[in-house]
Amino acid sequence: MAANAQTIETVEGLAGDYKYGFVTDIESDILAKGLSEDTVRFISAKKGEPQWMLDWRLRAYKAWLRMAREKGEPTWAKVSYPEIDFQDIHYYSAPKKKTLKSLDEVDPELLATYEKLGIPLKEREILAGVAVDAVFDSVSVATTFKDKLKDMGIIFCSMSEAVREHPELVQKYLGSVVPVTDNFYATLNSAVFSDGSFVYVPPGVRCPMELSTYFRINEAKTGQFERTLLICDKGAYVSYLEGCTAPMRDDNQLHAAVVELVCLEDAEIRYATVQNWYPGDKNGKGGIYNFVTKRGACRGARSKISWTQVETGSAITWKYPSVILQGDDSIGEFYSVAVTNNAQQADTGTKMIHMGKNTKSTIISKGISAGKAQNTYRGLVRVMPGAAGARNYSQCDSLLIGDRCGGHTVPYIEVKNRSAKVEHEATTSRISDDQLFYCRQRGLSEEDAVSTIVNGFCKEVLQKLPMEFAVEAQKLLGVSLEGSVG
Amino acid sequence: MLEIKNLHATVDGKEILRGINLTIKAGEVHAVMGPNGSGKSTLSYVLAGRDGYEVTQGDILFHGRSLLGLEPEERARDGLFLAFQYPVEIPGVANATFLRSAVNAVRKHRGLADMDAMTFLKTAKAKMKQLQMDEKFLQRAVNMGFSGGEKKRNEVFQMLMLEPTLAILDETDSGLDIDALKIVAEGVNALRGPERSALVITHYQRLLDYIVPDVVHVLAGGRIIKTGGKDLALELEAKGYADIIADAA
Ligand SMILES: Nc1ncnc2c1ncn2[C@@H]1O[C@H](COP(=O)(O)OP(=O)(O)OP(=O)(O)O)[C@@H](O)[C@H]1O
Ligand SMILES: [Mg+2]
């Protein structure tokens, strides 16, 4: 069918051709490929870590070696890819750090990259790691934020800094939700994690702003093995945004991150992700393997953890943000949109483990498939014997575009307490010709029509995102589905 | 404005339109009547450029330009509007969001800047008042759970917002109560002007009391078998189609 010139231009500009996929040639510290005990020691030394942290990593490394020998990578997910050669990966890469006084000193290549990405000047500075004193207003705004947080007792820093500055907190909580030997990728991450975010909100404090890596000066360049730890003490509240649309400068394929959330009595954590990593080309060449372990523990009574994710990127997504509902009356939520187009594969969902009395969980999952992509929702709702009065409501909807893609729903439900109530609903639908024609008759291009219909389909999830994020996510849905019809 | 010349069209390989000739001049309102299954909706879809409706012969000129190679959205942006016989539901998409995207797509095509949210809301509310529609319909998902009559009114609301030069109304009167019929007809009349035309498909002469047509056509078996003035509608109402079809055969 003859698309108009404008559409062609848009498609050429965006589809297939990943907009953020260019390479920047810049001086950086790269460790030779390969994984050994020395790799682990090198990373730990680079970060100036204390002995206990190195020991922790080495324990993880030994465990991972055993896992690799005995079972290898997990194979139960509905994804397929060639075996990964773990010796063919760089485990450490960081741009050489200097303290810069102004943008003039920043590598012009790097600046050009940010410009291409359309990042506003003020943000470019932050990302480039300019030491920020009062050069530009906006930058001091970021500093002001940091000061304000500090005044309230909120710790928001990189994982490396936390290991050095707040060892008591890190030792207490790191690995307490995702144990070192939890799973193949999490164990690998425990051995070689490069950096990540650390947040601690003290008792009774409501974090006054959405925290995101955006404000985390100098720490934007976390590697492919991120480790994030968020602790919300009694009665505290925090909302955290993880945007993966920021420039990713890694040329490696594997991203194995771990995120741990700890929520004490009456505390609440909201964690939102918009993930748009390189999905590979139309035929499935290249792209990121996104193998992530995210888990939260509602340790205290009446605590609440809410995961919201919009996943549009990556060649393969393997990700199950989960909640362990230990405290009585605690609440777990999972709101997810996963889009797969062309040759992308996603196997994603959640686990809600009900342990405490009257614990509640809600799961809303929207899977969208186009091209020859495969999209699987895999979820577990487990009610333990002690979880009297537990409740779960799950709704899993799949939307298919075209007839070569697949949407699958694999719910596991295990109920060991008779007073529990578990409800599961699932639907599969297609974008109808009627809907497309109706939109187009009103003047919308075919791409906009698809994007409009898909956004409607995902509305319940999108409205859980903070405003700026929701707008970005909406645009992303449109972009990632371009070329999916016609 | 619109010139349909010896139009033949097939759906799924089956010929439904079999040589239609019809010319609508700027400012005119034409009515098309005809038995069920005669091809009225098919004609409207072919004019709007729906996929799967294949033109096998003839041509359609709109403002002197052939529509045949154009996508539905291009025709829409050029000022062709179709009020659907069965408006389509779009879950989760607010009526206001949908309509604003549509309005801005059309404006962009005409070289105009986007209509900002405030102006849009003001204009929309004014049109809704005119159609006696509750403002709540702006926030509801497009046609979701609307009653039959509400859907039809919503079509006319969209039409008023988009200000087409050619409006095709496919049985917009079906399902409307008597008061609603008047209101909707007034809405359509409000858009009448020397530069705007309409093609009104209906089964009932009653609508034509309110939207008085310049010309009435009878479509049967994929052809226009009779054309006349507004009195033709009265005649049909009284006698039905049998005689005319017999005469034409
Ligand atoms: N996909 C299709 N395959 C075969 N026949 C079709 C298809 N779509 C429509 N038709 C036929 O085309 C004919 C014309 O249909 P159309 O909807 O245009 O009629 P209409 O004049 O609008 O009728 P009504 O007054 O009932 O709305 C009908 O006989 C219908 O069954
Ligand atoms: Mg019809």
Side-chain angles (χ1 to χ4, degrees):
Chain A
M1 116 182 10
N4 65 33
Q6 201 182 356
T7 309
I8 293 172
E9 216 177 271
T10 323
V11 173
E12 277 175 356
L14 295 163
D17 241 2
Y18 183 64
K19 196 172 159 194
Y20 309 121
F22 40 81
V23 180
T24 305
D25 185 11
I26 201 163
E27 252 194 291
S28 62
D29 255 351
I30 288 196
L31 176 65
K33 285 177 180 175
L35 178 58
S36 68
E37 201 173 301
D38 287 343
T39 321
V40 177
R41 288 179 187 279
F42 174 90
I43 294 168
S44 186
K46 266 281 170 198
K47 307 250 148 217
E49 285 176 357
Q51 187 65 36
W52 61 265
M53 192 69 246
L54 174 63
D55 292 344
W56 197 85
R57 285 177 181 275
L58 289 172
R59 245 194 346 268
Y61 177 63
K62 293 213 175 80
W64 182 78
L65 278 182
R66 202 168 50 242
M67 289 169 146
R69 210 170 38 236
E70 286 167 9
K71 277 168 95 182
E73 293 173 63
T75 50
W76 44 262
K78 193 174 165 49
V79 295
S80 63
Y81 55 93
E83 206 177 322
I84 297 171
D85 180 356
F86 289 93
Q87 297 303 335
D88 194 34
I89 291 174
H90 290 288
Y91 287 87
Y92 186 84
S93 157
K96 279 193 179 153
K97 232 181 211 166
K98 302 174 218 148
T99 319
L100 306 171
K101 295 219 171 50
S102 79
L103 266 181
D104 301 340
E105 293 179 37
V106 176
D107 190 318
E109 282 260 16
L110 189 58
L111 287 183
T113 307
Y114 292 153
E115 204 172 328
K116 262 190 264 181
L117 282 165
I119 295 172
L121 191 70
K122 42 199 172 179
E123 282 176 60
R124 280 182 230 164
E125 253 170 70
I126 296 171
L127 289 168
V130 176
V132 284
D133 288 303
V135 184
F136 288 91
D137 281 357
S138 58
V139 177
S140 12
V141 167
T143 326
T144 317
F145 278 156
K146 237 186 158 173
D147 284 346
K148 192 171 173 197
L149 292 176
K150 208 169 159 189
D151 287 347
M152 301 179 80
I154 297 169
I155 304 168
F156 181 33
C157 62
S158 72
M159 199 62 181
S160 319
E161 193 182 328
V163 168
R164 290 191 305 268
E165 309 290 327
H166 308 282
E168 59 314 323
L169 285 171
V170 177
Q171 276 182 286
K172 184 168 176 190
Y173 291 109
L174 188 71
S176 76
V177 188
V178 179
V180 165
T181 53
D182 189 79
N183 69 72
F184 189 82
Y185 305 114
T187 305
L188 177 62
N189 172 287
S190 302
V192 300
F193 71 85
S194 31
D195 216 328
S197 307
F198 177 86
V199 177
Y200 172 78
V201 189
V205 172
R206 215 185 142 78
C207 185
M209 67 197 73
E210 320 269 357
L211 296 185
S212 77
T213 33
Y214 170 81
F215 293 113
R216 211 185 59 213
I217 300 165
N218 284 335
E219 322 298 352
K221 294 169 199 82
T222 44
Q224 66 216 22
F225 298 101
E226 278 181 293
R227 185 95 198 184
T228 295
L229 176 58
L230 259 79
I231 303 140
C232 224
D233 215 321
K234 290 181 185 168
Y237 166 86
V238 69
S239 167
Y240 190 86
L241 310 180
E242 178 190 53
C244 311
T245 47
M248 292 304 301
R249 302 170 65 253
D250 301 315
D251 44 6
N252 280 299
Q253 295 287 296
L254 177 65
H255 283 256
V258 172
V259 177
E260 294 178 275
L261 312 182
V262 178
C263 217
L264 303 185
E265 247 169 68
D266 296 301
E268 177 175 353
I269 299 178
R270 293 171 176 267
Y271 195 104
T273 306
V274 174
Q275 185 266 117
N276 181 34
W277 276 327
Y278 181 50
D281 71 8
K282 278 209 158 92
N283 305 312
K285 189 156 170 284
I288 302 294
Y289 294 170
N290 189 25
F291 299 158
V292 178
T293 304
K294 292 186 168 180
R295 194 175 303 152
C298 280
R299 296 244 160 104
R302 297 170 301 279
S303 55
K304 178 174 175 183
I305 289 178
S306 177
W307 296 103
T308 306
Q309 61 173 23
V310 176
E311 304 277 327
T312 64
S314 296
I316 299 179
T317 296
W318 181 99
K319 184 180 165 191
Y320 314 89
S322 304
V323 185
I324 303 170
L325 297 149
Q326 289 164 279
D328 291 347
D329 301 294
S330 59
I331 296 173
E333 294 175 339
F334 175 71
Y335 300 99
S336 169
V337 171
V339 180
T340 48
N341 193 3
N342 299 319
Q344 280 178 282
Q345 310 172 55
D347 193 298
T348 184
T350 183
K351 292 181 205 165
M352 293 291 175
I353 313 293
H354 293 257
M355 297 170 73
K357 292 192 186 67
N358 301 316
T359 43
K360 268 203 296 214
S361 63
T362 304
I363 299 171
I364 309 281
S365 160
K366 306 277 179 178
I368 298 131
S369 298
K372 50 183 178 357
Q374 294 296 326
N375 201 324
T376 302
Y377 167 83
R378 186 183 304 277
L380 168 68
V381 176
R382 176 181 288 157
V383 179
M384 307 292 268
R391 265 160 212 273
N392 162 267
Y393 174 73
S394 304
Q395 184 190 324
C396 304
D397 299 322
S398 304
L399 184 69
L400 306 178
I401 304 173
D403 50 16
R404 289 176 304 150
C405 56
H408 317 275
T409 301
V410 190
Y412 303 90
I413 299 170
E414 299 171 15
V415 180
K416 299 205 178 94
N417 184 301
R418 288 174 59 189
S419 62
K421 205 171 147 202
V422 175
E423 287 174 81
H424 178 88
E425 286 175 26
T427 66
T428 300
S429 52
R430 262 169 218 285
I431 290 192
S432 72
D433 292 345
D434 280 345
Q435 288 173 324
L436 282 177
F437 176 58
Y438 190 71
C439 293
R440 296 176 74 189
Q441 209 303 305
R442 297 301 183 249
L444 303 188
S445 68
E446 192 165 43
E447 310 286 351
D448 287 345
V450 170
S451 165
T452 299
I453 295 164
V454 167
N455 272 297
F457 174 74
C458 302
K459 185 179 163 208
E460 288 156 281
V461 174
L462 295 178
Q463 67 193 10
K464 294 285 169 187
L465 289 170
M467 191 59 192
E468 330 78 82
F469 243 41
V471 173
E472 186 183 347
Q474 276 174 22
K475 284 191 202 141
L476 217 51
L477 290 182
V479 170
S480 53
L481 285 168
E482 268 171 19
S484 61
V485 284
Chain B
M1 165 81 61
L2 182 75
E3 232 181 301
I4 304 175
K5 295 196 279 198
N6 188 31
L7 183 69
H8 289 251
T10 59
V11 186
D12 282 340
K14 187 179 161 203
E15 184 165 69
I16 309 286
L17 301 185
R18 300 190 292 159
I20 291 190
N21 290 290
L22 177 66
T23 299
I24 303 179
K25 298 206 186 79
E28 286 181 352
V29 171
H30 288 223
V32 172
M33 305 180 80
N36 294 132
S38 57
K40 302 182 297 297
S41 294
T42 303
L43 174 63
S44 72
Y45 287 150
V46 170
L47 292 175
R50 182 167 190 159
D51 282 347
Y53 288 74
E54 205 185 328
V55 174
T56 49
Q57 255 192 79
D59 203 354
I60 308 163
L61 302 181
F62 183 45
H63 295 297
R65 184 163 77 125
S66 173
L67 285 182
L68 295 191
L70 298 183
E71 298 291 337
E73 59 269 35
E74 296 172 296
R75 304 179 192 204
R77 293 169 194 166
D78 275 343
L80 186 149
F81 179 92
L82 170 60
F84 285 58
Q85 181 174 2
Y86 304 107
V88 180
E89 300 186 340
I90 311 178
V93 179
N95 223 1
T97 312
F98 177 70
L99 194 47
R100 197 168 152 228
S101 314
V103 166
N104 283 334
V106 171
R107 286 176 68 91
K108 190 169 171 198
H109 177 73
R110 295 179 188 161
L112 299 170
D114 272 8
M115 188 184 269
D116 64 76
M118 288 305 288
T119 315
F120 173 81
L121 217 59
K122 240 180 80 186
T123 319
K125 285 183 176 171
K127 307 280 186 204
M128 292 181 104
K129 201 167 171 193
Q130 192 179 335
L131 292 170
Q132 298 186 22
M133 256 173 103
D134 194 316
E135 286 174 13
K136 282 194 206 115
F137 282 99
L138 281 174
Q139 289 323 313
R140 282 179 63 177
V142 179
N143 293 321
M144 286 296 292
F146 289 22
S147 75
E150 287 165 349
K151 283 182 181 167
K152 296 302 178 75
R153 215 183 281 216
N154 196 38
E155 293 290 287
V156 176
F157 168 50
Q158 295 185 24
M159 181 186 81
L160 292 185
M161 290 299 290
L162 291 165
E163 302 185 324
T165 47
L166 176 67
I168 303 163
L169 304 168
D170 191 355
E171 296 196 24
T172 302
D173 53 334
S174 302
L176 290 178
D177 65 49
I178 301 186
D179 296 333
L181 183 73
K182 267 194 219 166
I183 293 161
V184 162
E186 276 163 23
V188 174
N189 286 331
L191 212 62
R192 278 181 99 150
E195 291 311 317
R196 295 184 205 281
S197 311
L199 184 66
V200 180
I201 296 169
T202 183
H203 285 296
Y204 307 106
Q205 112 79 25
R206 194 186 52 185
L207 175 71
L208 305 179
D209 284 343
Y210 299 110
I211 306 173
V212 182
D214 299 294
V215 186
V216 176
H217 306 276
V218 178
L219 186 68
R223 285 194 194 93
I224 289 177
I225 56 165
K226 186 158 185 168
T227 294
K230 64 178 191 305
D231 295 341
L232 179 55
L234 287 170
E235 189 187 325
L236 290 170
E237 182 103 327
K239 296 194 198 152
Y241 293 109
D243 290 352
I244 296 179
I245 292 175
D247 285 354

